[in-house]
Amino acid sequence: MGMKAQVFRGVNQLSYEDVPIPVLAADEVLVQVQVVGLCQSDIKKIRYPLYEPPRIFGHETAGIIAQVGSEVRNWQVGDRVVVLHHIPCMHCGYCLNENYSMCDVYKNITTTAGFVPSGGGFAEYVKVPGHIVRNGGLMTIPDGISYEQASFVEPTNCCLKAVKKAQVAPGQTVLVTGAGPIGLMFVMLVKYFGARAIATDLLPARLQKALEVGAEAAFDPRDPHLAANIHALTQGMGVDTTLLAVPSDKAFFQALECTRKGGKILFFAEFPDEVEIPINPNILYRREIDLMGSYSSSYRVQALAADIVFNRRIDVDALISDRYPLQELAAAVERAIAPTPETYKILLYPEAGLHRECLS
């Protein structure tokens, strides 16, 4: 039996085509995708020669269980679930140090809709491997929470991991560079943890949006008085932490200028590989600035990420701007690359799919 999927056939080559519905092993689960978020990492994989085709990407997935393997006990057809596409092994050296996203199992075992497992959310059905099923990679969507809202659990985890790593605490001030969907989520989370957020963005509409979702102030990074304005808001010290949500060397140098002595700068956005940033190490030494990076999600904060979304502790609905049928994934990618002032989070929807009864 077949299903529709968006197959990556080469750089900027997406093919909406029929592929087989994945066949389950005894410990696996098949999920009918109801909604899948478009992530910057998906866009990067589509636009650059990072992976050999063919593949099916997509990983911010929420759906309905359509089939369960014979050995699966805790899940049944019809359950509404968030699908987590990576689960660490929990016993390697990285996991024991809580560096879960560095774990080989985390990196290499993932959900799939066919070909080399690559997330698989850009399809009508996605298969969840046994390791992920057994170890918390499916989460029940509570009554009253939509599939759209549930699809934010994974990106919330990624942002939450960064906020936790930077040790954002009540009373602190945090600069968020970039007020796209990730930057806005950072603003929401910073406020949720009792800190003050200051946002920067090139688009006036995004500055207004940042204020609407809880930023104390929002500035154009091209403003020559940016550093002076931020120091005025922080008793002349500068912010405690900067979260870099855009891959901009200019944003990094502004962060150095705006972050207080003893503060932190966290790289969240992935830069192009060819970018190198020159820095005088004495700046870090004399001002005791911590530079850090945060990549992907953390198993440790998964329960909290779900709690934040499922109990509406942040307003993920405010982040949604565009909805596309899966058939129009290429257009959705183009919209994300060249956003309008009102473009934030883009969600994709497969066709209704086959009747689940056909799979029994």
Side-chain angles (χ1 to χ4, degrees):
M1 293 181 60
M3 64 174 180
K4 291 291 188 182
Q6 284 283 3
V7 181
F8 169 73
R9 292 288 181 183
V11 173
N12 285 328
Q13 297 177 47
L14 290 168
S15 174
Y16 188 62
E17 58 189 70
D18 289 304
V19 298
I21 293 177
V23 176
L24 295 189
D27 61 349
E28 295 180 328
V29 165
L30 188 70
V31 173
Q32 184 183 39
V33 179
Q34 298 299 298
V35 63
V36 58
L38 179 61
C39 174
Q40 282 296 325
S41 66
D42 298 318
I43 295 168
K44 175 190 67 179
K45 293 168 188 172
I46 291 166
R47 295 188 70 210
Y48 299 103
L50 302 172
Y51 295 94
E52 283 294 315
R55 291 172 185 259
I56 300 172
F57 298 125
H59 59 271
E60 298 176 359
T61 305
I64 306 167
I65 292 182
Q67 188 179 7
V68 297
S70 59
E71 294 176 4
V72 175
R73 293 289 173 264
N74 297 326
W75 298 99
Q76 56 191 3
V77 171
D79 287 347
R80 303 168 69 240
V81 291
V82 173
V83 181
L84 306 177
H85 65 305
H86 291 301
I87 294 289
C89 74
M90 306 306 290
H91 56 72
C92 70
Y94 291 118
C95 286
L96 294 177
N97 284 287
E98 297 189 4
N99 302 128
Y100 301 117
S101 58
M102 300 296 113
C103 166
D104 284 342
V105 169
Y106 178 99
K107 288 175 178 289
N108 295 319
I109 295 180
T110 187
T111 50
T112 183
F115 310 108
V116 177
S118 303
F122 296 149
E124 289 184 294
Y125 293 91
V126 63
K127 181 172 74 168
V128 185
H131 167 72
I132 293 178
V133 173
R134 286 188 299 274
N135 294 292
L138 293 173
M139 305 189 79
T140 299
I141 301 172
D143 293 343
I145 295 296
S146 69
Y147 292 109
E148 289 189 345
Q149 292 163 338
S151 73
F152 280 89
V153 169
E154 195 274 343
T156 298
N157 182 315
C158 295
C159 292
L160 183 59
K161 172 186 173 181
V163 169
K164 288 282 194 180
K165 187 168 186 177
Q167 297 178 305
V168 172
Q172 290 187 333
T173 304
V174 178
L175 174 62
V176 179
T177 66
I182 290 297
L184 293 173
M185 182 173 283
F186 274 138
V187 168
M188 291 178 178
L189 288 171
V190 164
K191 185 179 180 184
Y192 173 69
F193 284 104
R196 303 185 304 160
I198 300 171
T200 61
D201 201 276
L202 297 171
L203 296 175
R206 288 189 167 185
L207 298 179
Q208 182 60 39
K209 184 78 166 181
L211 295 171
E212 290 172 7
V213 302
E216 179 171 297
F219 300 111
D220 188 320
R222 296 164 296 197
D223 184 343
H225 304 296
L226 175 67
N229 289 335
I230 287 177
H231 281 84
L233 287 168
T234 55
Q235 293 76 50
M237 291 183 66
V239 298
D240 299 286
T241 296
T242 297
L243 303 174
L244 291 171
V246 289
S248 161
D249 55 348
K250 291 179 181 177
F252 170 72
F253 289 120
Q254 286 183 336
L256 272 183
E257 194 176 7
C258 296
T259 303
R260 69 168 172 84
K261 297 172 185 177
K264 301 179 178 72
I265 299 173
L266 182 141
F267 288 81
F268 187 83
E270 184 171 16
F271 282 65
D273 281 341
E274 62 271 17
V275 172
E276 295 184 359
I277 298 177
I279 184 169
N280 183 333
N282 283 329
I283 294 173
L284 307 184
Y285 167 67
R286 292 170 184 157
R287 292 178 55 201
E288 292 194 3
I289 299 289
D290 290 342
L291 297 184
M292 57 184 66
S294 185
Y295 158 75
S296 196
S297 61
S298 169
Y299 188 81
R300 185 179 184 186
V301 301
Q302 182 56 39
L304 181 56
D307 171 83
I308 286 172
V309 174
F310 293 159
N311 290 297
R312 296 190 171 93
R313 303 189 195 282
I314 65 173
D315 181 12
V316 296
D317 289 328
L319 301 175
I320 303 168
S321 65
D322 296 84
R323 297 170 172 89
Y324 284 82
L326 181 62
Q327 187 171 357
E328 296 177 20
L329 175 60
V333 170
E334 288 302 315
R335 170 56 58 89
I337 294 167
T340 71
E342 283 75 40
T343 302
Y344 300 102
K345 188 66 176 182
I346 297 173
L347 300 180
L348 293 143
Y349 300 79
E351 299 300 319
L354 302 170
H355 293 297
R356 292 194 297 278
E357 294 79 25
C358 298
L359 297 163
S360 58

